[in-house]
Amino acid sequence: TPHYSDVAVTIAGERKSIQEANARLIAAAPDLLATLSQIERLSREADGNLVNVRSMLGDIARAAITRATKGD
């Protein structure tokens, strides 16, 4: 039986080793930083059209999630 310190549960609900989960997070860090930079820039440059900003933020976030979880 695995101990809580031996496994992690992914967004998809699959069990992965802690080491594998950590490696995936570390590998995703540059892309996550780029995504946060996009979001921060968008927040500064938004022209007040909240519908478009909301949609753009959702698109940016979904794309980052897809890239980060493509192996799941």
Side-chain angles (χ1 to χ4, degrees):
T1 318
H3 298 280
Y4 80 94
S5 61
D6 298 331
V7 297
V9 178
T10 67
I11 291 173
E14 298 171 348
R15 289 178 173 247
K16 303 278 184 182
S17 74
I18 291 292
Q19 292 80 10
E20 184 180 348
N22 286 342
R24 290 177 61 93
L25 182 58
I26 290 166
D31 189 54
L32 294 173
L33 177 58
T35 299
L36 288 172
S37 295
Q38 275 186 294
I39 291 170
E40 190 279 330
R41 186 177 63 248
L42 180 61
S43 74
R44 280 187 289 111
E45 297 172 356
D47 63 2
N49 190 342
L50 293 181
V51 173
N52 287 339
V53 171
R54 215 176 269 154
S55 175
M56 292 169 79
L57 290 174
D59 291 345
I60 291 167
R62 278 186 292 282
I65 291 167
T66 297
R67 287 189 302 273
T69 60
K70 65 183 172 194
D72 288 345

